[in-house]
Amino acid sequence: MKSKLLFLSAATAMMMASCAGGDNNGGNANGTATSAKSPKYIFYFIGDGMSTPQINMAEKAVSEEGFLEFFNQKTAGKYNLQPGKLNVRQFTAAGLANTHAQNRFITCSAAAATALATGNKTDINRVSVTPDASAPYRTIAEMAHDKGMKVGIITSVSIDHATPSCFYAHCADRNEYARIDSFLLKTNFEYFGGGFVRWNTKQHKGLYDYLDQINAAGYKFVNSRKDFDALKAGDSKVIATIERTSSDTASLPDDASLPYNMDLCIQKSENDQIVLSEFLSKAVELLYNDDKGFFIMTEGGKIDWTDHANDAVSNVYETIGLDRALGVALDFYAKHPDETLIVLTGDHECGGLTLGFAGTGYESAFNYMKNQQITAYSFSDSVRAYMKNKASFDFILKKIDEYFALGNEEKGLKLSDYEIDRLKKAYNVHKDFVKNNKIMIPIEEYKLYYGSYEPITVTVTHILDNKSGVDWASFAHTALPVPVFAIGVGADNFNGYYDNTDIPKKIMQLADLK
Ligand SMILES: [Zn+2]
C-alpha cells in the first residue's frame, strides 16, 4: 500500500479555480424582494450531506497552519488551493431550509433532490414522482431545457445517483438504475459529467450494451483526459466521465463515482484524473451561449459518503472540492454579473456532525487533521486485507500510526489507555463479526459504535476526530436544516427561513421556468 503513495508536488496543478473577483452587488441594487431581470445563466450547487457544520469545519481546517500544503499534496495538485477564505464566503444572500420528506422527518437524498429539483415533497426513495409514484413531477432542468436553455448535470458520484437523477428521471425507486439510465438518454440534455452510470449486473444487460445505447441516443461518450480536453464549444450531447479499467462483467469501482479527493494521490493515473471543478469548467465552455443561456446542476456527492463513514478529514476534502467548483461559477459570474444566478444548498445534513466534543470541552485542535493520509474507505479496505491475513493487534496499531499518526507522541497524538482499549475492542469485534468482508454485528452496543462500517476504521476516525474537537451523532442523515446561499440576479429572494421545496420555486419564478 505504502509504495502506492505518491507524494506529488503542487506543480501538476491542472486548473485554477481560486477566488473570483466577483462584485458584491448580488442582484438588484435596491435590495427589494424581486428583480426586474431574469437570470440567463443559472448554477445550482448541491452539497450532498452538507449543512453548516460541514462548511464551517472545512473553513476551520483550511485556516490551520500547514493544511494547504497537505491538501495540495494529497489531491495531487489538482486544486492548487491558495491561502484565503473559501469561495462560499462570497455569497451575498443566505437562508435556511427545512428538509423533511413527505413521509419522514429525516429525509433521504432522493426525496430531498425531488424537492430541490421540482419544488414538491415526496416519499423516501422516490425520484421526481408523487408520493404514491403514480405521476411524475416536472423538474427545473426539464423546464429550463424546454425553454431553450442548455442543461448540464454534474456530480462526483454516478450520474444516475439519487441527486442527479431527480433532475431528469421519474421512477418509484432510486435504485432502479437501469430505468434511470434510460431516462438519462432520452433527456437530450447537453452535458452529463462526473462518475459514470452505476453498474448493476442484475438490471443492466451489459456495459457495452449501454455504450451502444449512448451512441444510438446521439450522445458522445468521453472517458479519457485526452478526449475530455479535446471537447470544445459547440460539442453537444456529451457524457463525460473518467477512465476506468472495466470489462463487460466487472462492476465499476466505488459505485462508478469519481475518486475521493483525499485519495487522488494514490490513484494509478493521478495526472489524468478529472475532478468536479474541471467537469464544471468544461460544462461552462461547452454550454455557454448568448441565446437562451444555460442551467447547470453540480453536486458534491461524496460529502455525504464521508459523513456516513464519520470521516471528518475526508469530509473536509470533499467540501473543499465542491467549494473549488463554486469558484468556476463565481469566475463566470464576475464576467456576467447581470445575467447570472448562483445558488448553493445541501440536501440534508448527515452524520450529526458537531464542532465540539464532550472529551475536549471548549478546546479544538483541527491541526491534528493533517495527519490523516487516506480516506476511511481506503483504510477499511486495507484493514480487511490485514485482518484476512490474521494481522496482530500490534501490527494494526502500527498501521494506525502510519496512516493517522495516532500513537505518535511527537505529533501530540499519544493514545490513552482508554483509546487503546477502544481499538482493541474494535479489533476483536472485527475478528468475531466480520465474515467474508461483511459486517455482521448482532449486538446493539456495537451497532451504536460502528454502524455498518468496519469497526477498527470507525474507531480510528472517531478517535482522531474527537482529538480534533469534533464529534458525530449518527451514521445516517439528520434533520438539521441546510443553508441556502445565493449571489447574482435575484439573489435577495433566497434570504430567510423556508422549506427546501421553495428553493427551485424561487429559481423558477426568477427565470420564468414553467
Ligand atoms: Zn443526500
Side-chain angles (χ1 to χ4, degrees):
M1 194 69 197
K2 199 183 176 187
S3 61
K4 282 166 76 182
L5 287 170
L6 301 171
F7 296 118
L8 300 181
S9 76
T12 51
M14 300 307 294
M15 64 162 301
M16 280 285 289
S18 56
C19 298
D23 68 35
N24 276 349
N25 289 331
N28 53 333
N30 60 13
T32 53
T34 53
S35 170
K37 278 212 82 163
S38 184
K40 185 166 165 183
Y41 307 107
I42 300 169
F43 292 90
Y44 197 1
F45 288 91
I46 299 173
D48 202 309
M50 185 190 80
S51 182
T52 48
Q54 283 76 11
I55 295 169
N56 201 214
M57 180 167 74
E59 287 193 297
K60 177 74 178 116
V62 165
S63 73
E64 293 292 328
E65 196 188 334
F67 188 89
L68 282 177
E69 293 77 4
F70 167 65
F71 179 90
N72 286 331
Q73 180 191 65
K74 302 303 293 180
T75 52
K78 288 284 169 196
Y79 296 97
N80 192 21
L81 190 63
Q82 298 293 316
K85 292 194 164 112
L86 292 182
N87 289 319
V88 65
R89 284 282 172 151
Q90 294 189 49
F91 286 103
T92 58
L96 205 57
N98 282 328
T99 65
H100 70 90
Q102 178 71 31
N103 62 339
R104 206 171 70 187
F105 182 52
I106 298 177
T107 194
C108 77
S109 292
T114 297
L116 294 175
T118 75
N120 292 286
K121 289 289 185 194
T122 195
D123 282 3
I124 295 303
N125 287 347
R126 299 280 188 253
V127 174
S128 290
V129 291
T130 52
D132 65 0
S134 64
Y137 287 135
R138 205 163 140 70
T139 80
I140 189 168
E142 290 165 342
M143 294 175 197
H145 202 243
D146 286 351
K147 197 190 168 190
M149 298 171 88
K150 307 239 185 243
V151 173
I153 302 290
I154 299 162
T155 179
S156 55
V157 295
S158 67
I159 50 176
D160 53 4
H161 213 262
T163 307
S165 66
C166 285
F167 283 82
Y168 62 81
H170 306 274
C171 55
D173 193 315
R174 57 178 287 185
N175 296 303
E176 295 175 67
Y177 289 108
R179 255 194 100 196
I180 292 169
D181 297 341
S182 67
F183 269 108
L184 189 154
L185 296 180
K186 283 178 208 138
T187 59
N188 289 317
F189 289 176
E190 283 72 15
Y191 183 89
F192 289 91
F196 189 44
V197 296
R198 184 160 158 171
W199 193 240
N200 185 322
T201 45
K202 283 192 193 115
Q203 294 175 15
H204 292 85
K205 271 196 209 140
L207 182 56
Y208 295 117
D209 181 67
Y210 190 66
L211 293 178
D212 286 345
Q213 290 177 40
I214 288 175
N215 282 330
Y219 272 94
K220 181 173 185 167
F221 178 67
V222 170
N223 69 337
S224 71
R225 160 65 70 181
K226 190 169 150 272
D227 291 346
F228 180 78
D229 287 347
L231 288 169
K232 56 188 187 313
D235 277 339
S236 198
K237 290 187 74 175
V238 169
I239 296 175
T241 186
I242 54 172
E243 196 163 355
R244 297 174 193 281
T245 48
S246 59
S247 71
D248 207 22
T249 50
S251 63
L252 296 174
D254 209 6
D255 292 334
S257 63
L258 303 182
Y260 288 97
N261 288 322
M262 177 100 197
D263 288 342
L264 277 169
C265 73
I266 56 169
Q267 295 295 314
K268 280 198 188 86
S269 54
E270 63 281 345
N271 287 320
D272 286 338
Q273 293 297 331
I274 304 164
V275 296
L276 190 69
S277 49
E278 291 177 282
F279 280 107
L280 178 56
S281 296
K282 188 55 86 175
V284 171
E285 185 187 340
L286 300 190
L287 305 191
Y288 175 72
N289 67 88
D290 197 27
D291 183 20
K292 297 277 169 49
F294 60 62
F295 171 92
I296 303 173
M297 191 289 293
T298 306
E299 183 205 20
K302 287 186 145 180
I303 300 171
D304 182 69
W305 296 15
T306 52
D307 284 322
H308 280 292
N310 288 186
D311 177 359
V313 183
S314 303
N315 191 265
V316 166
Y317 272 61
E318 293 306 311
T319 304
I320 294 175
L322 182 64
D323 188 76
R324 295 300 92 186
L326 280 180
V328 173
L330 287 161
D331 282 347
F332 182 90
Y333 167 73
K335 290 181 205 130
H336 307 271
D338 300 328
E339 296 173 298
T340 305
L341 170 66
I342 309 174
V343 176
L344 164 70
T345 190
D347 60 344
H348 49 73
E349 199 277 335
C350 180
L353 175 66
T354 195
L355 308 187
F357 168 58
T360 48
Y362 289 97
E363 300 304 319
S364 308
F366 280 63
N367 57 312
Y368 290 150
M369 288 190 168
K370 60 179 178 284
N371 292 297
Q372 185 172 331
Q373 300 295 322
I374 53 174
T375 58
Y377 281 96
S378 289
F379 190 67
S380 305
D381 287 346
S382 300
V383 168
R384 286 186 171 98
Y386 303 148
M387 294 299 281
K388 220 175 153 190
N389 291 327
K390 310 240 180 307
S392 67
F393 181 58
D394 280 348
F395 177 86
I396 295 292
L397 280 182
K398 258 173 64 186
K399 290 294 167 188
I400 291 170
D401 186 355
E402 184 181 332
Y403 287 110
F404 297 85
L406 284 174
N408 186 321
E409 286 188 44
E410 273 175 34
K411 292 183 173 169
L413 290 171
K414 185 176 186 295
L415 289 167
S416 67
D417 290 346
Y418 169 64
E419 287 163 343
I420 289 175
D421 281 351
R422 281 168 67 187
L423 289 166
K424 181 90 193 187
K425 189 172 189 174
Y427 174 84
N428 288 328
V429 168
H430 188 121
K431 271 206 328 204
D432 294 343
F433 299 115
V434 177
K435 310 270 184 237
N436 301 323
N437 275 345
K438 285 216 171 71
I439 320 280
M440 318 280 218
I441 298 179
I443 298 167
E444 186 182 1
E445 179 192 352
Y446 294 167
K447 284 185 191 162
L448 290 177
Y449 285 155
Y450 316 120
S452 59
Y453 290 88
E454 194 288 305
I456 296 169
T457 309
V458 175
T459 308
V460 166
T461 57
H462 278 178
I463 291 174
L464 182 69
D465 296 354
N466 287 169
K467 282 180 180 298
S468 306
V470 306
D471 202 10
W472 303 90
S474 176
F475 297 98
H477 301 169
T478 75
L480 192 74
V482 290
V484 186
F485 296 111
I487 188 170
V489 183
D492 293 348
N493 289 276
F494 295 86
N495 289 320
Y497 185 25
Y498 40 84
D499 194 78
N500 61 355
T501 52
D502 292 326
I503 302 169
K505 284 182 193 162
K506 289 171 191 290
I507 303 173
M508 289 170 198
Q509 198 182 12
L510 283 164
D512 193 26
L513 299 174
K514 294 182 203 90

